[in-house]
Amino acid sequence: MSGIVGQEAPALVQRCVRCRKDYPADNIRPNCECGGLLDVEQPQPELRNGELRSLFEGRRHVDHGPFASGVWRFGELILAGAVERAVTQPEGNTPLLNRPTVSAFAGIENLLLKHEGHNPTGSFKDRGMTVAVTQARRVGATALACATTGNTGASLAAYGALAGLRALILVPRDGIATGKLAQVLAYGGRVVLVRGDFDACLRLVREAVDELGVYLVNSINPFRLEGQKTIVLELLQQLQWQAPDWIVFPAGNLGNAAAFGKALREARAWGLIDRMPRLAAVQAEGAAPFARSFRDGFRTRHQVVAQTVASAIRIGNPASYDRAVTAIRETDGVVTTATDPEILDAKAVVDAAGVGCEPASAASIAGVRRLAREGIISKGERVVAVLTGHLLKDPTLVTWYHAEAEPRPAYANRPAEIEPTMTDLARIAR
Ligand SMILES: *Cc1c(COP(=O)(O)O)cnc(C)c1O
Ligand SMILES: [Zn+2]
């Protein structure tokens, strides 16, 4: 092991984002007694900007142990003192891609795609889960639980298996994509199909913390967010710490909005970057309570009954609302929406570039396109769009779009059907 991780780590505290009350690091309750959410308060790192950067740079090509992870490489800023005992696959180290056809579709010259679908279970959820499950083991938890539209469950089931801990996974019965359900079952999670939507699952599992003594690993859990900060830290490192103008991402429960804001705030405070990128959160039009709050200057916290084809962001009452408001305000950010047809067309373009992503991820690209068209993002600005999950998460929707949807979608790649004759084949092949 190299670096400063082995030294005695300064104690972390968890702090209420609403009333600022502090709780010890090993507190397992997800809320303050005032009802507010908790954030991990990171101590000021002992190393300064240049030293920190070279510490992280030196670990970039490590190929075994926790520093091979794109999360634990940044251990000093995440969960110092836990690195040696991290439950890691490893995760992260996802590519930053430049695809001209996607840039042209979005109407932006300098667009990079941070592809989180390259994580071990195919979504960014692994970055938060490695930290939450590591923390669960530190506090002696025996059973883990989450409410999920699929990806959190897939990730929890995998990391639970790795840690040897039981995983209780609540999913909306009619709302989980095929690939995700297959993963949860395969990794050995205890799947509970709830006759209700995601918001009902989350309400139920929050009660289970007190009633059943389970350790909650939804993104309410502040350690999840510490891991998700590394999406931003890693992309900044890939850009040699030259901050882009914009970071654009899909927004459902607002965990990423919160984590990205916190990552940027800390990176700025610790001298890793010298200017703040602006955050742009993109919601599906049928699941856009946060966009509505943004439009009224965050005067009201809205709730909706969520409806969209993008199941990962089909959330009507986002849990990390308070934290996300701070993130948008501190980065001079924006919140916008994309319709389902816009999301599906953007997805088809990302897929046809040979990259591929799940529907919710494509909201990023549909969002960039809208913001570019509205002149909010200008053509020459440097934009990083986060693709949150892998193409194969939701194969049902892909085949429906290409093979069945009527009227024929703009980018549909219809299969051809023939008799087993050369005449037929020759006609198609031409
Ligand atoms: C969880 C998830 C989201 C939404 O992220 P939040 O942090 O809940 O806003 C978006 N896309 C994919 C693929 C996801 O799995
Ligand atoms: Zn409080």
Side-chain angles (χ1 to χ4, degrees), residues 123-125 149 151-152 180 219 228 250-257 312-313 315 358 360-361 388-389:
S123 86
F124 73 82
K125 298 297 199 296
T149 63
N151 282 336
T152 298
K180 303 177 189 184
S219 57
Q228 285 171 213
N253 216 19
L254 303 179
N256 268 342
I313 51 173
I315 292 169
E358 71 165 278
S361 313
T388 43

PDB file of all heavy atoms in Angstrom, residues 123-125 149 151-152 180 219 228 250-257 312-313 315 358 360-361 388-389, ligand 1:
ATOM      1  N   SER A 123     -24.010  -0.145 -13.781  1.00  0.00           N
ATOM      2  CA  SER A 123     -24.476   1.218 -13.507  1.00  0.00           C
ATOM      3  C   SER A 123     -23.595   1.882 -12.462  1.00  0.00           C
ATOM      4  O   SER A 123     -22.843   1.205 -11.754  1.00  0.00           O
ATOM      5  CB  SER A 123     -25.942   1.234 -13.029  1.00  0.00           C
ATOM      6  OG  SER A 123     -26.017   1.044 -11.627  1.00  0.00           O
ATOM      7  N   PHE A 124     -23.733   3.209 -12.346  1.00  0.00           N
ATOM      8  CA  PHE A 124     -22.927   3.966 -11.374  1.00  0.00           C
ATOM      9  C   PHE A 124     -23.245   3.569  -9.940  1.00  0.00           C
ATOM     10  O   PHE A 124     -22.510   3.945  -9.013  1.00  0.00           O
ATOM     11  CB  PHE A 124     -23.180   5.473 -11.542  1.00  0.00           C
ATOM     12  CG  PHE A 124     -24.526   5.927 -11.031  1.00  0.00           C
ATOM     13  CD1 PHE A 124     -24.725   6.182  -9.681  1.00  0.00           C
ATOM     14  CD2 PHE A 124     -25.604   6.081 -11.900  1.00  0.00           C
ATOM     15  CE1 PHE A 124     -25.980   6.575  -9.202  1.00  0.00           C
ATOM     16  CE2 PHE A 124     -26.852   6.470 -11.432  1.00  0.00           C
ATOM     17  CZ  PHE A 124     -27.035   6.710 -10.078  1.00  0.00           C
ATOM     18  N   LYS A 125     -24.351   2.859  -9.714  1.00  0.00           N
ATOM     19  CA  LYS A 125     -24.744   2.520  -8.343  1.00  0.00           C
ATOM     20  C   LYS A 125     -23.623   1.771  -7.614  1.00  0.00           C
ATOM     21  O   LYS A 125     -23.540   1.823  -6.386  1.00  0.00           O
ATOM     22  CB  LYS A 125     -26.025   1.687  -8.338  1.00  0.00           C
ATOM     23  CG  LYS A 125     -27.264   2.373  -8.918  1.00  0.00           C
ATOM     24  CD  LYS A 125     -27.682   3.595  -8.117  1.00  0.00           C
ATOM     25  CE  LYS A 125     -29.115   4.036  -8.345  1.00  0.00           C
ATOM     26  NZ  LYS A 125     -29.445   4.496  -9.695  1.00  0.00           N
ATOM     27  N   THR A 149     -35.601   0.817  -8.274  1.00  0.00           N
ATOM     28  CA  THR A 149     -36.212   0.575  -9.577  1.00  0.00           C
ATOM     29  C   THR A 149     -35.382  -0.460 -10.332  1.00  0.00           C
ATOM     30  O   THR A 149     -35.674  -0.800 -11.456  1.00  0.00           O
ATOM     31  CB  THR A 149     -36.287   1.872 -10.413  1.00  0.00           C
ATOM     32  OG1 THR A 149     -34.943   2.322 -10.672  1.00  0.00           O
ATOM     33  CG2 THR A 149     -37.050   2.968  -9.697  1.00  0.00           C
ATOM     34  N   ASN A 151     -31.453  -0.862 -10.437  1.00  0.00           N
ATOM     35  CA  ASN A 151     -29.987  -0.801 -10.423  1.00  0.00           C
ATOM     36  C   ASN A 151     -29.385  -0.814  -9.023  1.00  0.00           C
ATOM     37  O   ASN A 151     -28.351  -1.454  -8.797  1.00  0.00           O
ATOM     38  CB  ASN A 151     -29.506   0.426 -11.187  1.00  0.00           C
ATOM     39  CG  ASN A 151     -29.573   0.209 -12.687  1.00  0.00           C
ATOM     40  OD1 ASN A 151     -29.552  -0.932 -13.158  1.00  0.00           O
ATOM     41  ND2 ASN A 151     -29.673   1.286 -13.449  1.00  0.00           N
ATOM     42  N   THR A 152     -30.010  -0.121  -8.089  1.00  0.00           N
ATOM     43  CA  THR A 152     -29.516  -0.172  -6.707  1.00  0.00           C
ATOM     44  C   THR A 152     -29.604  -1.615  -6.201  1.00  0.00           C
ATOM     45  O   THR A 152     -28.694  -2.097  -5.519  1.00  0.00           O
ATOM     46  CB  THR A 152     -30.331   0.771  -5.803  1.00  0.00           C
ATOM     47  OG1 THR A 152     -30.153   2.104  -6.273  1.00  0.00           O
ATOM     48  CG2 THR A 152     -29.870   0.705  -4.355  1.00  0.00           C
ATOM     49  N   LYS A 180     -32.345  -5.902 -15.039  1.00  0.00           N
ATOM     50  CA  LYS A 180     -32.078  -5.593 -13.628  1.00  0.00           C
ATOM     51  C   LYS A 180     -32.655  -6.685 -12.720  1.00  0.00           C
ATOM     52  O   LYS A 180     -31.995  -7.137 -11.775  1.00  0.00           O
ATOM     53  CB  LYS A 180     -32.674  -4.234 -13.266  1.00  0.00           C
ATOM     54  CG  LYS A 180     -32.151  -3.109 -14.164  1.00  0.00           C
ATOM     55  CD  LYS A 180     -32.804  -1.764 -13.865  1.00  0.00           C
ATOM     56  CE  LYS A 180     -32.401  -0.753 -14.937  1.00  0.00           C
ATOM     57  NZ  LYS A 180     -32.914   0.592 -14.668  1.00  0.00           N
ATOM     58  N   SER A 219     -29.840   5.901  -1.473  1.00  0.00           N
ATOM     59  CA  SER A 219     -28.943   7.066  -1.516  1.00  0.00           C
ATOM     60  C   SER A 219     -29.272   8.101  -0.441  1.00  0.00           C
ATOM     61  O   SER A 219     -28.595   9.114  -0.322  1.00  0.00           O
ATOM     62  CB  SER A 219     -28.919   7.688  -2.913  1.00  0.00           C
ATOM     63  OG  SER A 219     -30.213   8.054  -3.319  1.00  0.00           O
ATOM     64  N   GLN A 228     -20.436   8.065  -4.775  1.00  0.00           N
ATOM     65  CA  GLN A 228     -20.876   8.629  -6.051  1.00  0.00           C
ATOM     66  C   GLN A 228     -20.152   9.933  -6.404  1.00  0.00           C
ATOM     67  O   GLN A 228     -20.112  10.317  -7.581  1.00  0.00           O
ATOM     68  CB  GLN A 228     -22.401   8.800  -6.045  1.00  0.00           C
ATOM     69  CG  GLN A 228     -23.101   7.459  -6.214  1.00  0.00           C
ATOM     70  CD  GLN A 228     -24.608   7.486  -6.000  1.00  0.00           C
ATOM     71  OE1 GLN A 228     -25.171   6.514  -5.529  1.00  0.00           O
ATOM     72  NE2 GLN A 228     -25.268   8.585  -6.354  1.00  0.00           N
ATOM     73  N   PRO A 250     -28.898  12.508 -15.685  1.00  0.00           N
ATOM     74  CA  PRO A 250     -30.314  12.260 -15.417  1.00  0.00           C
ATOM     75  C   PRO A 250     -30.589  12.332 -13.925  1.00  0.00           C
ATOM     76  O   PRO A 250     -29.720  12.001 -13.121  1.00  0.00           O
ATOM     77  CB  PRO A 250     -30.528  10.821 -15.916  1.00  0.00           C
ATOM     78  CG  PRO A 250     -29.184  10.191 -15.875  1.00  0.00           C
ATOM     79  CD  PRO A 250     -28.174  11.297 -16.068  1.00  0.00           C
ATOM     80  N   ALA A 251     -31.774  12.753 -13.550  1.00  0.00           N
ATOM     81  CA  ALA A 251     -32.083  12.952 -12.138  1.00  0.00           C
ATOM     82  C   ALA A 251     -33.396  12.294 -11.748  1.00  0.00           C
ATOM     83  O   ALA A 251     -34.437  12.585 -12.328  1.00  0.00           O
ATOM     84  CB  ALA A 251     -32.137  14.448 -11.829  1.00  0.00           C
ATOM     85  N   GLY A 252     -33.322  11.391 -10.783  1.00  0.00           N
ATOM     86  CA  GLY A 252     -34.508  10.702 -10.274  1.00  0.00           C
ATOM     87  C   GLY A 252     -34.679  10.980  -8.803  1.00  0.00           C
ATOM     88  O   GLY A 252     -35.404  11.887  -8.402  1.00  0.00           O
ATOM     89  N   ASN A 253     -33.960  10.194  -7.983  1.00  0.00           N
ATOM     90  CA  ASN A 253     -34.055  10.370  -6.535  1.00  0.00           C
ATOM     91  C   ASN A 253     -33.116  11.468  -6.040  1.00  0.00           C
ATOM     92  O   ASN A 253     -33.072  11.775  -4.872  1.00  0.00           O
ATOM     93  CB  ASN A 253     -33.747   9.032  -5.850  1.00  0.00           C
ATOM     94  CG  ASN A 253     -34.580   8.818  -4.606  1.00  0.00           C
ATOM     95  OD1 ASN A 253     -35.604   9.455  -4.407  1.00  0.00           O
ATOM     96  ND2 ASN A 253     -34.131   7.917  -3.761  1.00  0.00           N
ATOM     97  N   LEU A 254     -32.322  12.025  -6.957  1.00  0.00           N
ATOM     98  CA  LEU A 254     -31.439  13.180  -6.731  1.00  0.00           C
ATOM     99  C   LEU A 254     -30.187  12.867  -5.914  1.00  0.00           C
ATOM    100  O   LEU A 254     -29.520  13.777  -5.405  1.00  0.00           O
ATOM    101  CB  LEU A 254     -32.204  14.361  -6.105  1.00  0.00           C
ATOM    102  CG  LEU A 254     -33.417  14.851  -6.914  1.00  0.00           C
ATOM    103  CD1 LEU A 254     -34.108  16.003  -6.187  1.00  0.00           C
ATOM    104  CD2 LEU A 254     -32.994  15.276  -8.312  1.00  0.00           C
ATOM    105  N   GLY A 255     -29.841  11.587  -5.821  1.00  0.00           N
ATOM    106  CA  GLY A 255     -28.593  11.205  -5.153  1.00  0.00           C
ATOM    107  C   GLY A 255     -27.383  11.764  -5.895  1.00  0.00           C
ATOM    108  O   GLY A 255     -26.476  12.332  -5.285  1.00  0.00           O
ATOM    109  N   ASN A 256     -27.367  11.607  -7.211  1.00  0.00           N
ATOM    110  CA  ASN A 256     -26.230  12.120  -7.979  1.00  0.00           C
ATOM    111  C   ASN A 256     -26.157  13.642  -7.934  1.00  0.00           C
ATOM    112  O   ASN A 256     -25.069  14.208  -7.817  1.00  0.00           O
ATOM    113  CB  ASN A 256     -26.284  11.649  -9.433  1.00  0.00           C
ATOM    114  CG  ASN A 256     -25.506  10.357  -9.631  1.00  0.00           C
ATOM    115  OD1 ASN A 256     -24.675   9.982  -8.795  1.00  0.00           O
ATOM    116  ND2 ASN A 256     -25.764   9.678 -10.729  1.00  0.00           N
ATOM    117  N   ALA A 257     -27.294  14.300  -8.036  1.00  0.00           N
ATOM    118  CA  ALA A 257     -27.283  15.765  -7.949  1.00  0.00           C
ATOM    119  C   ALA A 257     -26.581  16.185  -6.663  1.00  0.00           C
ATOM    120  O   ALA A 257     -25.698  17.054  -6.661  1.00  0.00           O
ATOM    121  CB  ALA A 257     -28.715  16.306  -7.997  1.00  0.00           C
ATOM    122  N   ALA A 312     -35.502   4.011 -14.385  1.00  0.00           N
ATOM    123  CA  ALA A 312     -34.534   4.382 -13.338  1.00  0.00           C
ATOM    124  C   ALA A 312     -34.775   5.781 -12.778  1.00  0.00           C
ATOM    125  O   ALA A 312     -34.286   6.115 -11.706  1.00  0.00           O
ATOM    126  CB  ALA A 312     -33.106   4.275 -13.871  1.00  0.00           C
ATOM    127  N   ILE A 313     -35.518   6.602 -13.509  1.00  0.00           N
ATOM    128  CA  ILE A 313     -35.829   7.950 -13.008  1.00  0.00           C
ATOM    129  C   ILE A 313     -37.341   8.137 -12.854  1.00  0.00           C
ATOM    130  O   ILE A 313     -37.841   9.255 -12.868  1.00  0.00           O
ATOM    131  CB  ILE A 313     -35.190   9.064 -13.886  1.00  0.00           C
ATOM    132  CG1 ILE A 313     -35.506   8.872 -15.377  1.00  0.00           C
ATOM    133  CG2 ILE A 313     -33.679   9.105 -13.670  1.00  0.00           C
ATOM    134  CD1 ILE A 313     -35.032  10.029 -16.268  1.00  0.00           C
ATOM    135  N   ILE A 315     -39.522   8.451 -10.507  1.00  0.00           N
ATOM    136  CA  ILE A 315     -39.573   8.734  -9.075  1.00  0.00           C
ATOM    137  C   ILE A 315     -40.307  10.052  -8.867  1.00  0.00           C
ATOM    138  O   ILE A 315     -39.956  11.068  -9.474  1.00  0.00           O
ATOM    139  CB  ILE A 315     -38.127   8.790  -8.508  1.00  0.00           C
ATOM    140  CG1 ILE A 315     -37.523   7.375  -8.574  1.00  0.00           C
ATOM    141  CG2 ILE A 315     -38.112   9.343  -7.085  1.00  0.00           C
ATOM    142  CD1 ILE A 315     -36.040   7.309  -8.298  1.00  0.00           C
ATOM    143  N   GLU A 358     -28.768   2.768 -21.070  1.00  0.00           N
ATOM    144  CA  GLU A 358     -30.175   2.490 -20.764  1.00  0.00           C
ATOM    145  C   GLU A 358     -31.009   3.761 -20.938  1.00  0.00           C
ATOM    146  O   GLU A 358     -30.448   4.863 -21.054  1.00  0.00           O
ATOM    147  CB  GLU A 358     -30.321   1.854 -19.390  1.00  0.00           C
ATOM    148  CG  GLU A 358     -30.073   2.746 -18.197  1.00  0.00           C
ATOM    149  CD  GLU A 358     -30.619   2.096 -16.916  1.00  0.00           C
ATOM    150  OE1 GLU A 358     -31.837   2.199 -16.653  1.00  0.00           O
ATOM    151  OE2 GLU A 358     -29.825   1.484 -16.201  1.00  0.00           O
ATOM    152  N   ALA A 360     -32.851   5.836 -19.078  1.00  0.00           N
ATOM    153  CA  ALA A 360     -32.652   6.988 -18.172  1.00  0.00           C
ATOM    154  C   ALA A 360     -31.371   7.732 -18.518  1.00  0.00           C
ATOM    155  O   ALA A 360     -31.319   8.964 -18.461  1.00  0.00           O
ATOM    156  CB  ALA A 360     -32.609   6.520 -16.721  1.00  0.00           C
ATOM    157  N   SER A 361     -30.328   6.995 -18.876  1.00  0.00           N
ATOM    158  CA  SER A 361     -29.032   7.617 -19.189  1.00  0.00           C
ATOM    159  C   SER A 361     -29.147   8.575 -20.358  1.00  0.00           C
ATOM    160  O   SER A 361     -28.481   9.617 -20.390  1.00  0.00           O
ATOM    161  CB  SER A 361     -28.007   6.542 -19.547  1.00  0.00           C
ATOM    162  OG  SER A 361     -28.024   5.494 -18.617  1.00  0.00           O
ATOM    163  N   THR A 388     -25.553   6.808 -17.262  1.00  0.00           N
ATOM    164  CA  THR A 388     -25.594   6.186 -15.937  1.00  0.00           C
ATOM    165  C   THR A 388     -25.651   4.663 -15.953  1.00  0.00           C
ATOM    166  O   THR A 388     -25.273   4.017 -14.978  1.00  0.00           O
ATOM    167  CB  THR A 388     -26.821   6.733 -15.187  1.00  0.00           C
ATOM    168  OG1 THR A 388     -27.924   6.755 -16.114  1.00  0.00           O
ATOM    169  CG2 THR A 388     -26.570   8.136 -14.661  1.00  0.00           C
ATOM    170  N   GLY A 389     -26.158   4.074 -17.054  1.00  0.00           N
ATOM    171  CA  GLY A 389     -26.332   2.614 -17.047  1.00  0.00           C
ATOM    172  C   GLY A 389     -26.165   1.987 -18.417  1.00  0.00           C
ATOM    173  O   GLY A 389     -26.208   2.660 -19.454  1.00  0.00           O
TER     174      GLY A 389
HETATM  175  C1  LIG B   1     -30.335   5.469 -10.164  1.00  0.00           C
HETATM  176  C2  LIG B   1     -30.244   5.861 -11.555  1.00  0.00           C
HETATM  177  C3  LIG B   1     -30.514   7.165 -12.002  1.00  0.00           C
HETATM  178  C4  LIG B   1     -31.024   8.239 -11.088  1.00  0.00           C
HETATM  179  O1  LIG B   1     -30.058   8.704 -10.208  1.00  0.00           O
HETATM  180  P1  LIG B   1     -30.487   9.499  -8.880  1.00  0.00           P
HETATM  181  O2  LIG B   1     -29.234   9.625  -8.140  1.00  0.00           O
HETATM  182  O3  LIG B   1     -31.511   8.649  -8.199  1.00  0.00           O
HETATM  183  O4  LIG B   1     -31.073  10.799  -9.304  1.00  0.00           O
HETATM  184  C5  LIG B   1     -30.346   7.464 -13.330  1.00  0.00           C
HETATM  185  N1  LIG B   1     -29.957   6.526 -14.212  1.00  0.00           N
HETATM  186  C6  LIG B   1     -29.714   5.265 -13.836  1.00  0.00           C
HETATM  187  C7  LIG B   1     -29.304   4.272 -14.861  1.00  0.00           C
HETATM  188  C8  LIG B   1     -29.848   4.888 -12.502  1.00  0.00           C
HETATM  189  O5  LIG B   1     -29.608   3.628 -12.155  1.00  0.00           O
END
